[in-house]
Amino acid sequence: MSNPTPIPIGISNRHIHLSEADYQTLFPNTEVSVRNWLKQPGVFAADQLVTLVGPKGQIERVRLLAPFRKETQVEVSLTDARALGINVPIAMSGDLSKASDITVKTEEGEIVVKGAIAAKRHIHMNPEEATSLNVVDHEEVQVSLGSDDRRTIYDDVIIRVSPDFVLEMHIDTDEANAAGITPQSTGIIIKKNK
C-alpha cells in the first residue's frame, strides 16, 4: 500500500563528519565556518575540505558537514570506495562497528580513522509526519522514485523519526544517478507487506 505524500529527495555527495579532536588535528587554530545550511535543522556544509586517501587512490575536496560528532565518520558511495581501494559496509549513519579504515588529510594534519561507510538509504521525518505517513522509527519501507524513463523502487529504506528532523529521503550519488534523480525529484512510500 502506498501513501501519495511526496517525499523530497536529498542527494548526499561524499562528505565527512568530524569529532572535535580530529577537527583540531586537521584544522588547528581554525574556526568551523558555514558555507551553506542544509535542510535538516542545525546541520551545515562547512567551508573546510579534506582529502581522503586509500590504498588505490585519493579523493580531494571532500566537504565537512557540521556540527561536530562524537566519532569521525566518512560517507562515500560504493563507486568512491572502489576508487579509493577500500571495502565499506552499507550502514546507518553512526553505526561504525564494521567501518573501514581511511586516511584523512589536510595541509595542516593527517588522521587514520575506522570510520568509512556507505550510508544506508533512509528518510528523516518528525513524529507528526510519521503519524501522517503511518510509519514508525526504524521501520523498513520501499520508495518509488525516479524520472519517467527510470522509475525505480528502492527497498530497505529506513525510517528515522526525531522532533529535530524534517521530511527528506537521503540517497547517495550512485543511487540518484541510477534512478535519474534531480534535486526536484520526490518519492512515494510503499509499505511492506508483513
Side-chain angles (χ1 to χ4, degrees):
M1 187 172 88
S2 64
N3 185 306
T5 303
I7 310 297
I9 309 297
I11 303 169
S12 289
N13 198 0
R14 64 184 75 101
H15 60 272
I16 187 168
H17 303 274
L18 286 170
S19 68
E20 188 167 6
D22 285 344
Y23 179 86
Q24 295 302 332
T25 298
L26 295 170
F27 300 99
N29 306 310
T30 304
E31 289 290 323
V32 181
S33 54
V34 178
R35 178 175 182 265
N36 60 280
W37 290 92
L38 302 182
K39 187 167 184 179
Q40 296 306 312
V43 181
F44 63 90
D47 290 315
Q48 284 71 25
L49 303 171
V50 303
T51 297
L52 305 179
V53 182
K56 287 176 60 178
Q58 65 181 33
I59 299 176
E60 299 177 349
R61 300 185 58 78
V62 176
R63 193 160 303 280
L64 168 65
L65 298 191
F68 295 130
R69 292 200 176 178
K70 284 197 287 187
E71 293 182 279
T72 292
Q73 176 176 296
V74 177
E75 295 183 36
V76 296
S77 69
L78 296 181
T79 298
D80 290 337
R82 281 193 289 275
L84 291 165
I86 60 176
N87 292 314
V88 295
I90 297 173
M92 289 301 296
S93 180
D95 178 5
L96 303 180
S97 59
K98 297 179 181 175
S100 298
D101 290 340
I102 191 162
T103 300
V104 182
K105 68 178 185 179
T106 63
E107 291 181 0
E108 292 84 19
E110 181 175 309
I111 58 173
V112 178
V113 293
K114 180 180 170 60
I117 64 168
K120 190 171 180 66
R121 47 188 172 250
H122 57 277
I123 304 173
H124 292 279
M125 63 184 69
N126 63 42
E128 293 77 19
E129 290 162 337
T131 299
S132 174
L133 291 163
N134 191 30
V135 293
V136 297
D137 194 34
H138 290 97
E139 181 177 350
E140 287 191 9
V141 298
Q142 295 178 323
V143 177
S144 172
L145 70 168
S147 62
D148 290 339
D149 295 328
R150 282 206 164 176
R151 181 62 47 189
T152 303
I153 294 178
Y154 277 125
D155 202 359
D156 305 321
V157 181
I158 306 299
I159 300 296
R160 298 187 62 194
V161 180
S162 167
D164 299 327
F165 292 158
V166 296
L167 187 62
E168 185 180 37
M169 179 177 178
H170 285 175
I171 59 176
D172 69 23
T173 51
D174 283 356
E175 294 168 310
N177 290 337
I181 299 301
T182 70
Q184 292 73 42
S185 297
T186 59
I188 299 294
I189 288 178
I190 303 170
K191 294 275 284 184
K192 288 190 171 186
N193 294 324
K194 294 188 177 180

